[in-house]
Amino acid sequence: MSSQEPLLELRGVHKAFGPVEVLRGVDLTVRPGRVTALVGDNGAGKSTLIKGIAGIYPFDEGEYTFEGTPVNVKNPRDANALGIEVVYQDLALCDNLDVVHNMYLGRELTKRGMVDQDSMEARARETLNGLSVRTLQSVRTHVAALSGGQRQTVAIARAVLWNSKVVILDEPTAALGVAQTEQVLLLVRRLADRGLGVILISHNLNDVFQVADDIAVLYLGSMVATVDRADVTQGQVVQLITTGTYEGREAAATNGEIR
């Protein structure tokens, strides 16, 4: 694990909906320059955890720390103000708008009371170039004409446009072909290489093992392990996802490989 100070830390967070406790004392650490894959079976609590970080479902209990300072994130505006951006699986893009207007949707730049088209286009190009995006021919192309991988690229670029520090990606390669998946995973890696903290939610362990540095496993609302990707096999992660433990875990824990 990197020695850098964490960007985001959760300690002992709980979330319940009525009598149903969805998150039970969850810990999570996200460091700059690292991709943390969040994995777990359906119903493990991944979506609730992410929505809690994003301020959609504020946590009931626990400590939420950002850049070493305890914070109270009550809504998505609070999370955005910290530098936390979420790219949800539905991408929330408008087909009838071009790339520039999708990247600035709801946050348009203005000059003398008018939308500043030139500045928006220049910053959109700068952001895409900074991420080494080469798959878009024009930032004035309508989203309706883009492939699935290109749409995902636009959504990710929009997330980093606002000087974000933590980017959360919800199943970014779902329904993509092999070539498009490779493009998106390269982009995920570039985010971390730029010093951002990246949380990747994915059911695809091949993707996880290709791009993640750390793997955090949720099981029935509890964080059962956070492991360095190099210290586990896919089979062991599958066991953690399905049973909450894996054969040989006690020995690994003794050696400090499981946190």
Side-chain angles (χ1 to χ4, degrees):
M1 174 66 82
S2 170
S3 61
Q4 287 183 292
E5 289 299 314
L7 282 169
L8 169 69
E9 282 189 289
L10 304 178
R11 292 291 175 263
V13 297
H14 290 256
K15 183 63 185 178
F17 296 97
V20 180
E21 191 174 20
V22 181
L23 298 176
R24 303 179 178 91
V26 170
D27 295 345
L28 180 68
T29 299
V30 179
R31 285 181 164 81
R34 293 181 74 86
V35 177
T36 299
L38 179 63
V39 301
D41 210 347
N42 292 333
K46 300 187 302 297
S47 294
T48 301
L49 181 61
I50 293 311
K51 289 178 179 177
I53 294 172
I56 297 172
Y57 298 148
F59 298 121
D60 298 330
E61 299 178 36
E63 184 175 330
Y64 187 144
T65 302
F66 197 84
E67 294 185 316
T69 302
V71 293
N72 185 14
V73 177
K74 302 183 295 297
N75 54 59
R77 285 184 180 272
D78 291 342
N80 293 156
L82 292 172
I84 298 171
E85 296 284 341
V86 185
V87 180
Y88 293 103
Q89 194 169 347
D90 63 7
L91 303 183
L93 298 176
C94 295
D95 284 353
N96 63 320
L97 298 178
D98 63 23
V99 171
V100 174
H101 284 92
N102 268 282
M103 289 177 66
Y104 279 91
L105 192 62
R107 301 181 183 181
E108 291 81 3
L109 301 180
T110 58
K111 185 177 182 180
R112 300 189 186 93
M114 302 288 288
V115 175
D116 190 350
Q117 300 281 359
D118 291 342
S119 294
M120 287 164 52
E121 180 171 334
R123 283 189 58 188
R125 289 181 186 278
E126 181 183 350
T127 300
L128 290 164
N129 288 337
L131 293 171
S132 299
V133 173
R134 301 287 183 265
T135 58
L136 292 173
Q137 292 186 344
S138 171
V139 294
R140 289 303 182 181
T141 302
H142 278 63
V143 164
L146 300 181
S147 68
Q150 290 171 326
R151 288 169 181 249
Q152 187 66 247
T153 296
V154 171
I156 293 173
R158 178 176 62 188
V160 304
L161 181 65
W162 307 102
N163 297 318
S164 52
K165 299 174 181 178
V166 172
V167 175
I168 302 169
L169 305 172
D170 184 10
E171 299 284 356
T173 61
L176 296 184
V178 174
Q180 293 179 344
T181 293
E182 188 70 20
Q183 292 169 4
V184 170
L185 292 179
L186 285 172
L187 185 54
V188 172
R189 193 65 251 171
R190 287 190 200 113
L191 297 181
D193 291 344
R194 286 177 48 155
L196 279 70
V198 181
I199 301 175
L200 171 69
I201 299 96
S202 181
H203 283 94
N204 189 320
L205 290 185
N206 288 328
D207 291 356
V208 167
F209 272 76
Q210 181 173 337
V211 77
D213 298 295
D214 309 301
I215 303 174
V217 186
L218 275 172
Y219 177 74
L220 299 179
S222 297
M223 190 69 76
V224 293
T226 300
V227 296
D228 191 299
R229 183 253 303 154
D231 292 337
V232 289
T233 66
Q234 287 197 31
Q236 289 171 326
V237 173
V238 169
Q239 281 188 285
L240 283 166
I241 291 170
T242 56
T243 69
T245 188
Y246 69 78
E247 187 177 350
R249 180 178 176 182
E250 291 184 3
T254 301
N255 293 327
E257 294 174 358
I258 293 185
R259 302 180 294 282

